[in-house]
């Protein structure tokens, strides 16, 4: 069975994503497209603007066949662990190929990955971020500068394929239209970055030209969510936790828990999430790293929980088309990890507990139902 | 030194309270009036409508001389423990008398208290509330029906005086104007119940006739707070805590933690605090009891913390007049427990930690500063 994987966030699903799906469909007319998508909390430590069910519907209507949730233990992570989680799932499905956008799709990501296998990642420059030291090490080992976000993610996929012994063909394709960090777009554009689209929604500007209709409908009818909405809950946590308690949370190291609390205490009463992150930020600790730590605090994720999750992956099915359903039936006998199509009470307290909790907390703001007994989205 | 104590909540300070202060002043022109007031969370398990600093200012401007905070460990409690905490503090100050409003001020509360000393309080009728069984036991021992809220509180003061060996003269005075449970008032009234006043504010009706000017000013300029504002935080707790975790909180007994969580899980996503309390309520477990448990959950108060607080009382000074200041200076050498006029970092983490936390959580909604380094309110 020919299957094509994509690793996505769809925050929200826009014309750039549609373009990618159309390219895949044009090149492999009979392939089944499987998307592994972050659920309610995303790679850069932010809540999804729309809930995973809405984003699944947007994607299925645009040609994705099967949508699998990337568990929160993998989704709110730096590129290497994010990639490792997603590749582990795709590899278990014996996916034919992985298609991903890259700034430089001609790079041979797999052979670069082989050349940098010796990088141990224990960088000791305490006034530099992990990312910049990693990029320097890649250059030192290969003579190639890789410093754009999608190229770096592509390299992370290649490294994950190596470490997971995943036999997946990597198919980088040229990213078009909008840079990842671009925050504006004009009437002439049909493609804008997700960041720019989220900003436009916030500013009540039209996104009609740059998203498929379902995304537009959802953006009008659903609550549009960001850290602003979760800040009260995070403040509640930051107000009550001691550094000792905070140190048991996932991701806390080098005494960062003290800095998180100290900077919080110094803020004025009406400070925002951004104010807090900016106060904590340093040369060594990036905005994104702090946002991820904030997510772990919000979701009360402790160290053991993530380790446990890496040892017990599963496929939580968010939605499928007819073609996706056939693949799903086939996979049921083939995959090494459990497939969850509907979350049971047992799943909720066991295997799926961490994602269930993330859904419950997201639901405090979205007012959507929890994952318990929720049906996957189905389209014909 | 002639001193008169009152035990109050002032939620908010209204003409009924003013009338009481004026009566005291008329009868004892040279007395110093000391009020022991619940801080940010009150006896019936509700947040104060206005913060303690505002309520202190209202009271000092109306004739109270010294305002002491009743620690949250004592304030959010059934009548017996509430009374015990307040009497312990007043007794430590060697107060001359306690004045309190009663529906039947002619009752001899102290001798009734002596007659019911044998009631052990371990009532075993599981389909009746504690309160109704207690009232029955009082009747069985004395032949007197006591079933109105202020009479019952008066009896609790008398019992606390006995158990604390406090030599305080009890001076009940007739409550006038409005019943405790009355929820409306009209233009002809100068006195309304605090409940009715809070409801009027909520409905944006005038309270001008029934409160002193400072209360009116505060009601216009300050955020008016109720459980609605804290419900998101409580939901966050109820969403994340297991019954085992909840069972370590103060006040949990007879498996109530299961019921609190089960009823929460069954609620629709847009349910209110009231919906939840009504769902939990039973013949045995009253609205007020559930509201108190909700407060303990919100403030994350565990069993040890309250016990510790009962063994380590203190006087946190919220404000004083000139006369109050003289009393304070005198008391500094006399009282058996520490006097805190300004909360230090050491107090915040030690003696005062529970009230500090209550203040911090209240501040999430009021956006007022924490107690740390806060000066008492002073008037001339």
């Amino acid at each position: 069975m020919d299957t094509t994987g994509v690793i996505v966030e769809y925050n929200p699903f826009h014309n750039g994503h549609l373009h990618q799906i159309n390219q895949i469909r044009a090149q492999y007319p009979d392939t089944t497209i499987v998307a592994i998508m972050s659920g309610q909390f995303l790679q850069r430590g932010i809540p999804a603007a729309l809930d995973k069910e809405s984003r699944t519907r947007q994607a299925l209507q645009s040609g994705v066949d099967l949508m699998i949730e990337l568990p929160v233990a993998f989704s709110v992570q730096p590129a290497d662990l994010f990639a490792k989680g997603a590749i582990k799932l795709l590899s278990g499905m014996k996916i034919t190929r992985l298609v991903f956008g890259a700034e430089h799709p001609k790079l041979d990501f797999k052979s670069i990955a082989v050349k940098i296998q010796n990088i141990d990642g224990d960088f000791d420059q305490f006034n530099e971020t992990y990312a910049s030291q990693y990029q320097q090490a890649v250059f030192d080992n290969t003579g190639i500068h890789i410093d754009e976000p999608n190229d770096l993610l592509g390299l992370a996929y290649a490294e994950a394929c190596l470490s997971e012994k995943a036999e997946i063909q990597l198919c980088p394709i040229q990213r078009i239209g909008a840079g990842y960090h671009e925050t504006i777009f004009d009437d002439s554009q049909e493609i804008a970055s997700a960041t720019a689209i989220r900003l436009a929604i916030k500013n009540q500007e039209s996104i009609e030209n740059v998203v498929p209709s379902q995304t537009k409908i959802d953006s009008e009818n659903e609550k549009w969510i960001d850290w602003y909405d979760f800040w009260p809950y995070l403040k509640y946590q930051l107000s009550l936790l001691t550094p000792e308690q905070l140190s048991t949370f996932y991701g806390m190291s080098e005494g960062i828990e003290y800095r998180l609390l100290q900077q919080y205490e110094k803020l004025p009463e009406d400070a925002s999430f951004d104010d807090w992150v900016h106060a904590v930020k340093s040369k060594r600790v990036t905005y994104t790293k702090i946002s991820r730590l904030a997510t772990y605090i919000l979701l009360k994720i402790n160290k053991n929980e993530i380790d446990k999750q890496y040892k017990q992956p599963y496929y939580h099915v968010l939605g499928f088309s007819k073609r996706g359903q056939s693949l799903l039936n086939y996979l049921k006998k083939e995959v090494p990890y459990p497939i969850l199509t509907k979350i049971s009470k047992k799943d909720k307290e066991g295997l799926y507990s961490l994602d269930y909790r993330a859904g419950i907390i997201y639901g405090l703001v979205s007012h959507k139902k929890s994952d318990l007994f929720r049906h996957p989205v189905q389209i014909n």
Side-chain angles (χ1 to χ4, degrees), chain A:
Chain A
M1 218 166 174
D2 188 278
T3 48
T4 302
V6 288
I7 299 168
V8 299
E9 301 218 296
Y10 293 160
N11 188 37
F13 190 91
H14 59 58
N15 285 352
H17 303 128
L18 176 61
H19 176 77
Q20 188 191 48
I21 300 296
N22 288 342
Q23 275 183 297
I24 295 171
R25 183 64 64 216
Q27 201 160 349
Y28 313 102
D30 298 320
T31 197
T32 301
I33 302 176
V34 180
I36 306 283
M37 183 177 80
S38 307
Q40 310 291 40
F41 293 89
L42 309 185
Q43 203 249 327
R44 297 174 72 80
I46 58 171
L50 294 171
D51 97 351
K52 57 194 178 187
E53 192 174 78
S54 302
R55 284 145 58 225
T56 296
R57 188 168 294 110
Q58 293 160 12
L60 292 178
Q61 290 189 1
S62 293
V64 167
D65 292 311
L66 177 59
M67 181 68 91
I68 302 292
E69 179 172 18
L70 183 66
V72 68
F74 307 153
S75 75
V76 184
Q77 291 286 8
D80 57 336
L81 295 175
F82 175 87
K84 207 167 165 172
I87 293 294
K88 188 188 274 284
L89 294 182
L90 287 174
S91 167
M93 297 167 100
K94 298 200 176 54
I95 214 92
T96 315
R97 72 188 68 79
L98 172 67
V99 170
F100 59 94
E103 288 83 2
H104 300 93
K106 294 207 169 134
L107 288 170
D108 183 350
F109 291 99
K110 280 209 171 168
S111 53
I112 297 170
V114 171
K115 282 185 197 150
I116 59 171
Q117 276 188 94
N118 62 323
I119 298 178
D120 70 0
D122 282 341
F123 304 119
D124 55 5
Q125 297 291 324
F126 283 93
N127 58 348
E128 297 257 14
T129 62
Y130 180 94
S132 64
Q133 294 183 69
Y134 171 79
Q135 288 166 33
Q136 185 59 45
V138 170
F139 179 75
D140 293 345
N141 281 268
T142 65
I144 302 171
H145 274 299
I146 301 193
D147 59 3
E148 297 207 56
N150 290 278
D151 288 346
L152 284 162
L153 210 47
L155 183 54
Y157 296 147
E159 290 187 83
C161 284
L162 270 184
S163 72
E164 293 291 316
K165 299 185 177 52
E167 295 188 5
I168 301 173
Q169 189 195 345
L170 294 189
C171 302
I173 56 176
Q174 184 68 51
R175 264 184 70 87
I176 55 152
Y180 186 84
H181 290 303
E182 275 175 34
T183 56
I184 51 165
F185 57 91
D186 62 37
D187 288 353
S188 71
Q189 283 177 249
E190 288 192 354
I191 290 180
S193 72
T195 310
I197 292 169
R198 292 198 300 275
L199 206 63
I201 298 257
K202 213 172 159 183
N203 296 335
Q204 298 185 293
E205 290 160 12
S206 170
I207 57 162
E208 192 156 13
N209 288 348
V210 293
V211 299
S213 62
Q214 185 64 47
T215 304
K216 182 167 177 282
I217 292 167
D218 290 343
S219 78
E220 285 161 359
N221 297 331
E222 310 239 331
K223 183 163 166 59
W224 196 255
I225 292 170
D226 66 19
W227 254 115
Y228 172 87
D229 301 293
F230 290 102
W231 178 228
Y233 302 100
L234 184 65
K235 286 207 292 182
Y236 183 59
Q237 289 274 68
L238 293 173
S239 300
L240 293 189
L241 292 168
T242 63
E244 292 67 36
Q245 290 168 325
L246 207 52
S247 72
T248 66
F249 282 61
Y250 183 72
M252 299 299 159
S253 64
E254 298 168 20
I256 182 75
E257 61 271 21
Y258 288 93
R259 193 169 163 84
L260 296 177
L261 293 180
Q262 277 160 3
Q263 295 301 321
Y264 174 73
E265 281 205 8
K266 285 188 203 160
L267 289 178
E269 277 64 27
D270 58 354
S272 68
F273 175 73
D274 272 1
D275 294 336
W276 173 67
V277 178
H278 280 293
V280 175
K281 204 173 164 301
S282 69
K283 272 206 166 175
R284 173 84 179 166
V285 187
T286 63
Y287 194 100
T288 303
K289 161 97 178 166
I290 300 161
S291 302
R292 284 192 202 111
L293 292 174
T295 308
Y296 306 144
I297 298 170
L298 177 72
L299 303 183
K300 294 195 187 180
I301 299 182
N302 69 40
K303 298 190 168 166
N304 300 335
E305 286 180 301
I306 298 275
D307 295 344
K308 204 177 126 201
Q309 193 81 91
Y310 268 89
K311 286 175 200 143
Q312 294 190 326
Y314 50 79
Y315 297 97
H316 178 226
V317 178
L318 290 173
F320 46 79
S321 66
K322 277 256 182 260
R323 187 154 32 193
Q325 190 164 25
S326 307
L327 175 61
L328 201 54
N329 289 334
Y330 167 79
L331 287 176
K332 277 180 182 157
K333 294 154 249 156
E334 302 289 328
V335 291
Y337 319 122
I339 294 182
L340 313 175
T341 43
K342 208 160 64 172
I343 302 304
S344 67
K345 282 203 170 172
K346 199 179 143 214
D347 298 332
K348 172 194 143 178
E349 272 142 37
L351 205 54
Y352 193 71
S353 62
L354 199 48
D355 280 299
Y356 181 77
R357 195 195 309 160
I360 284 285
I361 292 170
Y362 193 83
L364 291 173
V365 168
S366 73
H367 299 298
K368 294 282 181 82
K369 284 206 178 302
S370 80
D371 281 300
L372 188 69
F373 307 141
R374 207 196 250 200
H375 289 275
V377 179
Q378 292 186 48
I379 65 151
N380 289 316

Short mmCIF file of all heavy atoms in Angstrom, two decimals, chain A residues 238-280:
data_model
loop_
_atom_site.label_atom_id
_atom_site.label_comp_id
_atom_site.label_asym_id
_atom_site.label_seq_id
_atom_site.Cartn_x
_atom_site.Cartn_y
_atom_site.Cartn_z
N LEU A 238 2.01 29.42 39.08
CA LEU A 238 3.24 30.13 39.45
C LEU A 238 3.08 30.79 40.83
O LEU A 238 4.05 30.97 41.56
CB LEU A 238 3.58 31.19 38.40
CG LEU A 238 3.99 30.66 37.03
CD1 LEU A 238 4.15 31.81 36.03
CD2 LEU A 238 5.28 29.84 37.08
N SER A 239 1.85 31.13 41.19
CA SER A 239 1.61 31.75 42.50
C SER A 239 1.73 30.76 43.63
O SER A 239 2.06 31.13 44.75
CB SER A 239 0.19 32.32 42.56
OG SER A 239 0.00 33.28 41.57
N LEU A 240 1.41 29.50 43.35
CA LEU A 240 1.29 28.53 44.44
C LEU A 240 2.48 27.58 44.56
O LEU A 240 2.72 27.05 45.64
CB LEU A 240 0.02 27.69 44.25
CG LEU A 240 -1.30 28.42 44.39
CD1 LEU A 240 -2.45 27.44 44.40
CD2 LEU A 240 -1.33 29.25 45.67
N LEU A 241 3.19 27.35 43.47
CA LEU A 241 4.24 26.32 43.51
C LEU A 241 5.52 26.86 44.13
O LEU A 241 5.92 28.00 43.90
CB LEU A 241 4.53 25.82 42.10
CG LEU A 241 3.40 25.02 41.44
CD1 LEU A 241 3.68 24.82 39.95
CD2 LEU A 241 3.23 23.66 42.12
N THR A 242 6.18 26.01 44.90
CA THR A 242 7.51 26.34 45.41
C THR A 242 8.54 25.90 44.36
O THR A 242 8.24 25.06 43.51
CB THR A 242 7.79 25.59 46.72
OG1 THR A 242 7.80 24.18 46.43
CG2 THR A 242 6.73 25.88 47.77
N PRO A 243 9.76 26.44 44.44
CA PRO A 243 10.80 25.98 43.50
C PRO A 243 10.99 24.47 43.59
O PRO A 243 11.20 23.81 42.57
CB PRO A 243 12.05 26.72 43.97
CG PRO A 243 11.56 27.89 44.74
CD PRO A 243 10.24 27.51 45.34
N GLU A 244 10.88 23.91 44.78
CA GLU A 244 11.07 22.46 44.95
C GLU A 244 9.99 21.70 44.19
O GLU A 244 10.28 20.71 43.51
CB GLU A 244 11.01 22.07 46.43
CG GLU A 244 12.16 22.58 47.29
CD GLU A 244 12.18 24.10 47.46
OE1 GLU A 244 11.09 24.72 47.55
OE2 GLU A 244 13.29 24.69 47.46
N GLN A 245 8.77 22.15 44.30
CA GLN A 245 7.68 21.49 43.56
C GLN A 245 7.89 21.66 42.06
O GLN A 245 7.75 20.72 41.29
CB GLN A 245 6.33 22.09 43.97
CG GLN A 245 5.94 21.72 45.40
CD GLN A 245 4.75 22.53 45.91
OE1 GLN A 245 4.60 23.70 45.58
NE2 GLN A 245 3.93 21.91 46.75
N LEU A 246 8.26 22.86 41.66
CA LEU A 246 8.45 23.14 40.23
C LEU A 246 9.58 22.28 39.65
O LEU A 246 9.53 21.89 38.48
CB LEU A 246 8.76 24.62 40.04
CG LEU A 246 8.37 25.23 38.70
CD1 LEU A 246 6.91 24.96 38.35
CD2 LEU A 246 8.62 26.73 38.70
N SER A 247 10.57 21.99 40.47
CA SER A 247 11.73 21.24 39.96
C SER A 247 11.36 19.80 39.58
O SER A 247 12.10 19.14 38.88
CB SER A 247 12.86 21.24 40.98
OG SER A 247 12.50 20.40 42.07
N THR A 248 10.19 19.32 40.02
CA THR A 248 9.78 17.96 39.65
C THR A 248 9.08 17.94 38.29
O THR A 248 8.76 16.88 37.77
CB THR A 248 8.80 17.36 40.69
OG1 THR A 248 7.58 18.12 40.67
CG2 THR A 248 9.38 17.39 42.09
N PHE A 249 8.82 19.12 37.72
CA PHE A 249 8.15 19.19 36.42
C PHE A 249 9.14 18.86 35.32
O PHE A 249 10.35 19.09 35.44
CB PHE A 249 7.56 20.59 36.20
CG PHE A 249 6.27 20.83 36.95
CD1 PHE A 249 6.23 20.77 38.33
CD2 PHE A 249 5.10 21.10 36.28
CE1 PHE A 249 5.05 20.98 39.02
CE2 PHE A 249 3.91 21.32 36.96
CZ PHE A 249 3.89 21.26 38.33
N TYR A 250 8.61 18.36 34.23
CA TYR A 250 9.42 18.03 33.08
C TYR A 250 10.14 19.28 32.55
O TYR A 250 9.55 20.36 32.48
CB TYR A 250 8.55 17.44 31.97
CG TYR A 250 9.33 17.01 30.76
CD1 TYR A 250 10.13 15.87 30.80
CD2 TYR A 250 9.29 17.75 29.59
CE1 TYR A 250 10.86 15.47 29.70
CE2 TYR A 250 10.02 17.36 28.47
CZ TYR A 250 10.81 16.22 28.54
OH TYR A 250 11.54 15.83 27.45
N GLY A 251 11.40 19.10 32.17
CA GLY A 251 12.13 20.17 31.49
C GLY A 251 12.88 21.12 32.41
O GLY A 251 13.65 21.96 31.94
N MET A 252 12.67 21.00 33.72
CA MET A 252 13.35 21.91 34.63
C MET A 252 14.80 21.44 34.82
O MET A 252 15.03 20.28 35.16
CB MET A 252 12.66 21.97 36.00
CG MET A 252 11.23 22.47 35.96
SD MET A 252 11.06 24.16 35.31
CE MET A 252 9.32 24.12 34.84
N SER A 253 15.74 22.34 34.60
CA SER A 253 17.15 22.00 34.81
C SER A 253 17.92 23.28 35.05
O SER A 253 17.42 24.38 34.80
CB SER A 253 17.71 21.29 33.58
OG SER A 253 17.69 22.15 32.47
N GLU A 254 19.10 23.13 35.57
CA GLU A 254 20.00 24.27 35.81
C GLU A 254 19.35 25.38 36.63
O GLU A 254 19.63 26.55 36.43
CB GLU A 254 20.50 24.85 34.47
CG GLU A 254 21.30 23.84 33.66
CD GLU A 254 21.54 24.32 32.21
OE1 GLU A 254 21.44 25.53 31.96
OE2 GLU A 254 21.83 23.47 31.35
N GLY A 255 18.43 25.01 37.50
CA GLY A 255 17.82 25.99 38.40
C GLY A 255 16.85 26.95 37.72
O GLY A 255 16.47 27.97 38.29
N ILE A 256 16.42 26.62 36.50
CA ILE A 256 15.50 27.51 35.78
C ILE A 256 14.22 27.75 36.57
O ILE A 256 13.61 28.82 36.49
CB ILE A 256 15.19 26.95 34.37
CG1 ILE A 256 14.27 27.89 33.56
CG2 ILE A 256 14.54 25.57 34.43
CD1 ILE A 256 14.94 29.11 33.03
N GLU A 257 13.82 26.77 37.43
CA GLU A 257 12.59 26.92 38.21
C GLU A 257 12.65 28.15 39.12
O GLU A 257 11.64 28.83 39.32
CB GLU A 257 12.28 25.64 39.01
CG GLU A 257 13.33 25.22 40.04
CD GLU A 257 14.41 24.31 39.46
OE1 GLU A 257 14.59 24.31 38.23
OE2 GLU A 257 15.08 23.61 40.26
N TYR A 258 13.84 28.47 39.64
CA TYR A 258 13.97 29.65 40.48
C TYR A 258 13.73 30.91 39.66
O TYR A 258 13.03 31.83 40.08
CB TYR A 258 15.36 29.70 41.13
CG TYR A 258 15.53 28.67 42.21
CD1 TYR A 258 16.07 27.42 41.93
CD2 TYR A 258 15.12 28.94 43.52
CE1 TYR A 258 16.20 26.46 42.91
CE2 TYR A 258 15.24 27.98 44.51
CZ TYR A 258 15.78 26.74 44.20
OH TYR A 258 15.90 25.79 45.18
N ARG A 259 14.34 30.92 38.48
CA ARG A 259 14.20 32.10 37.62
C ARG A 259 12.73 32.31 37.18
O ARG A 259 12.24 33.44 37.17
CB ARG A 259 15.11 31.94 36.40
CG ARG A 259 15.27 33.22 35.62
CD ARG A 259 16.38 33.13 34.56
NE ARG A 259 16.20 34.22 33.63
CZ ARG A 259 16.64 35.44 33.82
NH1 ARG A 259 17.34 35.73 34.91
NH2 ARG A 259 16.41 36.40 32.94
N LEU A 260 12.07 31.22 36.85
CA LEU A 260 10.66 31.31 36.44
C LEU A 260 9.82 31.98 37.54
O LEU A 260 8.99 32.84 37.26
CB LEU A 260 10.10 29.92 36.13
CG LEU A 260 10.71 29.14 34.97
CD1 LEU A 260 10.07 27.75 34.85
CD2 LEU A 260 10.58 29.88 33.65
N LEU A 261 10.05 31.56 38.77
CA LEU A 261 9.25 32.08 39.89
C LEU A 261 9.68 33.48 40.30
O LEU A 261 8.85 34.34 40.58
CB LEU A 261 9.33 31.13 41.09
CG LEU A 261 8.69 29.75 40.89
CD1 LEU A 261 8.84 28.90 42.14
CD2 LEU A 261 7.21 29.89 40.53
N GLN A 262 11.00 33.70 40.34
CA GLN A 262 11.50 35.02 40.76
C GLN A 262 11.00 36.12 39.81
O GLN A 262 10.55 37.17 40.26
CB GLN A 262 13.02 35.03 40.79
CG GLN A 262 13.59 34.46 42.08
CD GLN A 262 15.03 34.01 41.93
OE1 GLN A 262 15.64 34.17 40.86
NE2 GLN A 262 15.59 33.43 42.98
N GLN A 263 11.09 35.86 38.53
CA GLN A 263 10.66 36.87 37.56
C GLN A 263 9.15 37.07 37.64
O GLN A 263 8.65 38.18 37.44
CB GLN A 263 11.09 36.49 36.14
CG GLN A 263 12.60 36.46 35.94
CD GLN A 263 13.27 37.80 36.24
OE1 GLN A 263 12.74 38.84 35.92
NE2 GLN A 263 14.41 37.76 36.92
N TYR A 264 8.44 35.99 37.92
CA TYR A 264 6.99 36.12 38.06
C TYR A 264 6.64 37.03 39.24
O TYR A 264 5.79 37.90 39.14
CB TYR A 264 6.32 34.75 38.22
CG TYR A 264 4.84 34.87 38.50
CD1 TYR A 264 3.96 35.24 37.50
CD2 TYR A 264 4.33 34.65 39.78
CE1 TYR A 264 2.61 35.39 37.75
CE2 TYR A 264 2.99 34.80 40.04
CZ TYR A 264 2.13 35.16 39.03
OH TYR A 264 0.80 35.33 39.29
N GLU A 265 7.33 36.81 40.35
CA GLU A 265 7.04 37.60 41.56
C GLU A 265 7.29 39.09 41.35
O GLU A 265 6.65 39.92 41.98
CB GLU A 265 7.89 37.10 42.73
CG GLU A 265 7.34 35.84 43.34
CD GLU A 265 7.76 35.69 44.81
OE1 GLU A 265 8.35 36.61 45.37
OE2 GLU A 265 7.48 34.61 45.36
N LYS A 266 8.23 39.40 40.48
CA LYS A 266 8.59 40.81 40.27
C LYS A 266 7.62 41.55 39.35
O LYS A 266 7.67 42.77 39.24
CB LYS A 266 9.99 40.89 39.65
CG LYS A 266 11.12 40.61 40.63
CD LYS A 266 12.45 40.92 39.96
CE LYS A 266 13.59 40.17 40.62
NZ LYS A 266 14.75 40.07 39.76
N LEU A 267 6.79 40.81 38.64
CA LEU A 267 5.92 41.44 37.64
C LEU A 267 4.80 42.26 38.30
O LEU A 267 4.35 41.91 39.38
CB LEU A 267 5.24 40.36 36.79
CG LEU A 267 6.10 39.59 35.80
CD1 LEU A 267 5.25 38.53 35.10
CD2 LEU A 267 6.75 40.50 34.76
N PRO A 268 4.35 43.32 37.63
CA PRO A 268 3.16 44.00 38.14
C PRO A 268 1.93 43.10 38.01
O PRO A 268 1.95 42.13 37.25
CB PRO A 268 3.04 45.22 37.22
CG PRO A 268 3.82 44.90 36.01
CD PRO A 268 4.89 43.93 36.42
N GLU A 269 0.87 43.45 38.74
CA GLU A 269 -0.32 42.58 38.82
C GLU A 269 -0.99 42.39 37.46
O GLU A 269 -1.66 41.41 37.23
CB GLU A 269 -1.35 43.15 39.82
CG GLU A 269 -1.07 42.77 41.28
CD GLU A 269 0.22 43.36 41.82
OE1 GLU A 269 0.66 44.42 41.33
OE2 GLU A 269 0.81 42.75 42.73
N ASP A 270 -0.83 43.37 36.56
CA ASP A 270 -1.54 43.25 35.28
C ASP A 270 -0.63 42.77 34.14
O ASP A 270 -0.95 42.93 32.96
CB ASP A 270 -2.18 44.60 34.91
CG ASP A 270 -1.12 45.70 34.84
OD1 ASP A 270 0.06 45.43 35.18
OD2 ASP A 270 -1.47 46.82 34.43
N ALA A 271 0.51 42.17 34.49
CA ALA A 271 1.45 41.70 33.46
C ALA A 271 0.85 40.57 32.63
O ALA A 271 0.00 39.82 33.10
CB ALA A 271 2.73 41.23 34.14
N SER A 272 1.31 40.46 31.39
CA SER A 272 0.82 39.43 30.48
C SER A 272 1.78 38.24 30.43
O SER A 272 2.90 38.31 30.96
CB SER A 272 0.68 40.02 29.08
OG SER A 272 1.98 40.30 28.57
N PHE A 273 1.35 37.19 29.77
CA PHE A 273 2.22 36.04 29.53
C PHE A 273 3.51 36.48 28.85
O PHE A 273 4.60 36.09 29.25
CB PHE A 273 1.48 35.02 28.66
CG PHE A 273 2.33 33.83 28.25
CD1 PHE A 273 2.67 32.85 29.16
CD2 PHE A 273 2.80 33.71 26.95
CE1 PHE A 273 3.45 31.76 28.79
CE2 PHE A 273 3.59 32.63 26.56
CZ PHE A 273 3.91 31.65 27.49
N ASP A 274 3.39 37.32 27.82
CA ASP A 274 4.57 37.81 27.11
C ASP A 274 5.52 38.57 28.03
O ASP A 274 6.74 38.42 27.94
CB ASP A 274 4.16 38.73 25.95
CG ASP A 274 3.91 37.91 24.69
OD1 ASP A 274 4.04 36.67 24.74
OD2 ASP A 274 3.58 38.52 23.65
N ASP A 275 4.95 39.39 28.90
CA ASP A 275 5.79 40.13 29.84
C ASP A 275 6.63 39.18 30.67
O ASP A 275 7.81 39.39 30.92
CB ASP A 275 4.93 40.98 30.80
CG ASP A 275 4.19 42.10 30.07
OD1 ASP A 275 4.65 42.51 29.00
OD2 ASP A 275 3.13 42.53 30.58
N TRP A 276 5.98 38.12 31.11
CA TRP A 276 6.67 37.14 31.95
C TRP A 276 7.78 36.44 31.15
O TRP A 276 8.92 36.35 31.62
CB TRP A 276 5.68 36.11 32.51
CG TRP A 276 6.29 34.98 33.25
CD1 TRP A 276 6.96 35.04 34.45
CD2 TRP A 276 6.31 33.61 32.85
NE1 TRP A 276 7.38 33.79 34.82
CE2 TRP A 276 7.00 32.89 33.86
CE3 TRP A 276 5.82 32.91 31.76
CZ2 TRP A 276 7.21 31.51 33.79
CZ3 TRP A 276 6.01 31.54 31.69
CH2 TRP A 276 6.71 30.86 32.69
N VAL A 277 7.46 35.99 29.96
CA VAL A 277 8.46 35.28 29.15
C VAL A 277 9.64 36.21 28.87
O VAL A 277 10.80 35.80 29.00
CB VAL A 277 7.86 34.75 27.83
CG1 VAL A 277 8.95 34.07 27.01
CG2 VAL A 277 6.74 33.75 28.11
N HIS A 278 9.36 37.45 28.54
CA HIS A 278 10.45 38.39 28.26
C HIS A 278 11.31 38.63 29.49
O HIS A 278 12.52 38.82 29.40
CB HIS A 278 9.90 39.70 27.70
CG HIS A 278 9.59 39.59 26.23
ND1 HIS A 278 10.57 39.41 25.27
CD2 HIS A 278 8.42 39.57 25.56
CE1 HIS A 278 10.01 39.32 24.07
NE2 HIS A 278 8.70 39.39 24.22
N ALA A 279 10.68 38.62 30.65
CA ALA A 279 11.43 38.82 31.89
C ALA A 279 12.34 37.63 32.18
O ALA A 279 13.43 37.77 32.71
CB ALA A 279 10.47 39.06 33.06
N VAL A 280 11.90 36.44 31.80
CA VAL A 280 12.67 35.22 32.09
C VAL A 280 13.78 35.01 31.05
O VAL A 280 14.86 34.51 31.36
CB VAL A 280 11.74 33.97 32.12
CG1 VAL A 280 12.55 32.70 32.29
CG2 VAL A 280 10.70 34.09 33.22
#
